[in-house]
Amino acid sequence: MSDPALIAKMQAILSAEESAMRLELTGMAFDALLAQPASVLLADAELLPSLLAALSADNTQRVMGQHVLPAALRMTSQLETAEQRLRDLLPEAARKELERIIASGKGPRFGWLKGALDPADLRELFAPVVQQVLVQFTSKLPIPGLGASGGQGAAAAAGALGGLVGMLGKQVQKSASQFAEVGKSVMGGLGSELERRMQAFARDFSQTAMGEFRTAVADRIKSPEGQAILVRMRDRAVRHVFDAQLSDVAQDMSHLPMAELSQVAPAVVAFQREQPLLSSLLATEIAAALSAIGQRPLAELLSEAALLETARDMTQRIVDPGARALFASEDFGAWLSRLLAAAAQP
C-alpha cells in the first residue's frame, strides 16, 4: 500500500521552485526521446492525414487573417522606412559571385512563356505611337509643301506620307535625299549646306524624341483603345501561364546552377545574423505572436485547428518508445532510488 505522506513528499521535491531532481528527470526524458530514430515520427501512419487535415479552408483562412496578413502589413510598414539597399543584404563576396553567375547566362530560359504575348497586340498598341512621333518629326522638316506647324501641319504631313509608319520613314528619307540632290544641282554648295542642316535637325529631334515618345505612350495607354489592348494582353498572359505544363516549368528551373548557388547561400544566410533589420523584423514578429497566442494553451490552439485528439494520439505513440527506454534504464532506477531516499528523510 502506498504511503500518502511519502508520495506528497516526492511531489513536493519535484514541484519545488528549484528542483535538481526534476531537472535531472526532464533531461533524461529529453535524451531518451531524442535517442529514438526519426522514423518514430516520420513513419507514423497519422502524420500525412494530420498534415492534410490541417490544410482545411477554415484553418487556412484563420491563419491568413490572424497571422500572415498582419505580418505582411507589419513588415511592409517597417521596410517602407528602411534605408538599406538590396546589396546591403549580401556580403560583398556573395554579391560578386551572384553577379558572376548571372553574367554566365546560366538559369531558366522561360521558354514555357513563349506565346504569352502576341506580337500583333504589341504592334497594335505601339504602332500609332511610332506614327505620331514620326508625324511630329516630318511636320517640322524644312521641306516646302511638307513642313508646317500645328495640328494642320501634322495632318498634312501624315497625309503626304501615307499615314503608315513604314511609308513615313521611307518617304522622309526619300524626300530629304531628293531635296538635297535638287539643291546640289541648282544651287551647288547650298545643297550641301541644306543636307548638313537636315542632319543636324534630325540629330536634335532625336535628342528630344524620347520625351515625346514617353508622352505618346502614356496617352496611348490611357486611351480606351489602349486600355482594351492591355486587358487583352493581360488575360492572354494569365491564361498562358495557367496552361503551362508543370514538367516544362520544372525542366526550365533545372537550368538554375543549384550547385553554385548552394555555395553562396550559407554566406548570405550567416550574413543576415548581423543585420539590424532582420533582428528588428524577427523581434516584431515574435512580439506579435506572443501578443496573439502567447497566453493561449497549446491544447486550445490544437483544438481550434481540430487537431487536438490526433496530436494527443500521435504524441503518445511517439513518446512511448522513449519513455519505455527511460523507465527501463539504470539511470532512471538510480534517480528513482535517490528520489525515494530524499522523500524518506524527515
Side-chain angles (χ1 to χ4, degrees):
M1 215 173 152
S2 60
D3 183 348
L6 183 62
I7 293 176
K9 186 69 177 293
M10 293 171 63
Q11 288 180 310
I13 293 173
L14 294 176
S15 61
E17 185 174 350
E18 295 184 5
S19 173
M21 296 293 295
R22 184 179 67 242
L23 291 177
E24 188 177 354
L25 175 61
T26 55
M28 286 191 295
F30 181 78
D31 292 339
L33 179 61
L34 294 191
Q36 304 307 305
S39 61
V40 171
L41 170 63
L42 299 179
D44 191 286
E46 293 299 319
L47 177 60
L48 179 58
S50 298
L51 293 176
L52 294 177
L55 297 177
S56 66
D58 290 341
N59 284 345
T60 304
Q61 184 176 9
R62 182 177 58 258
V63 171
M64 291 295 294
Q66 295 181 1
H67 305 292
V68 177
L69 181 57
L73 294 176
R74 287 191 298 268
M75 289 188 179
T76 300
S77 178
Q78 285 186 270
L79 293 176
E80 283 177 346
T81 58
E83 298 181 354
Q84 293 89 340
R85 299 168 296 173
L86 287 177
R87 67 168 59 248
D88 297 329
L89 303 180
L90 301 172
E92 185 68 15
R95 182 182 62 79
K96 290 182 177 179
E97 179 63 11
L98 287 175
E99 290 178 350
R100 184 196 66 77
I101 293 174
I102 294 172
S104 71
K106 298 177 182 177
R109 305 296 189 269
F110 298 103
W112 49 279
L113 286 177
K114 183 178 181 180
L117 292 178
D118 189 346
D121 289 336
L122 293 174
R123 286 195 298 269
E124 185 177 353
L125 181 63
F126 291 112
V129 174
V130 177
Q131 179 175 331
Q132 178 180 339
V133 174
L134 289 177
V135 165
Q136 292 174 351
F137 172 73
T138 56
S139 67
K140 297 175 183 178
L141 284 173
I143 301 177
L146 181 62
S149 61
Q152 292 181 348
L161 298 176
L164 297 176
V165 175
M167 295 178 62
L168 277 170
K170 293 180 180 178
Q171 189 64 27
V172 169
Q173 183 179 6
K174 181 179 179 181
S175 297
S177 177
Q178 290 177 345
F179 190 78
E181 290 300 326
V182 171
K184 287 180 180 179
S185 62
V186 175
M187 293 178 287
L190 291 178
S192 298
E193 176 63 17
L194 178 59
E195 182 177 7
R196 184 189 66 78
R197 292 185 178 182
M198 287 284 292
Q199 292 175 351
F201 170 77
R203 182 172 59 253
D204 293 341
F205 182 84
S206 68
Q207 293 176 355
T208 61
M210 186 55 67
E212 298 185 22
F213 183 79
R214 285 197 298 266
T215 301
V217 168
D219 293 340
R220 175 62 171 165
I221 290 177
K222 293 177 182 177
S223 69
E225 184 179 1
Q227 287 291 303
I229 296 173
L230 288 176
V231 169
R232 187 168 70 238
M233 294 169 63
R234 179 203 63 196
D235 293 345
R236 178 186 178 91
V238 170
R239 288 194 302 270
H240 185 89
V241 171
F242 284 161
D243 289 338
Q245 291 280 351
L246 291 179
S247 57
D248 293 337
V249 178
Q251 184 177 8
D252 191 29
M253 292 300 105
S254 69
H255 291 293
L256 280 169
M258 297 305 299
E260 296 175 69
L261 291 175
S262 66
Q263 297 296 318
V264 180
V268 174
V269 173
F271 185 73
Q272 303 312 310
R273 297 192 308 171
E274 309 298 328
Q275 302 306 304
L277 178 60
L278 179 63
S279 300
S280 175
L281 291 173
L282 290 177
T284 299
E285 292 313 304
I286 291 174
L290 287 173
S291 175
I293 62 175
Q295 301 304 315
R296 298 180 63 187
L298 293 176
E300 182 180 320
L301 296 175
L302 289 172
S303 179
E304 185 178 66
L307 293 173
L308 179 58
E309 295 303 320
T310 301
R312 177 184 288 113
D313 293 342
M314 286 188 62
T315 300
Q316 288 179 339
R317 288 195 300 271
I318 294 169
V319 171
D320 185 66
R324 182 182 179 186
L326 171 63
F327 297 147
S329 66
E330 294 182 2
D331 288 340
F332 181 77
W335 174 87
L336 187 58
S337 297
R338 292 197 301 274
L339 177 61
L340 290 171
Q345 294 178 1

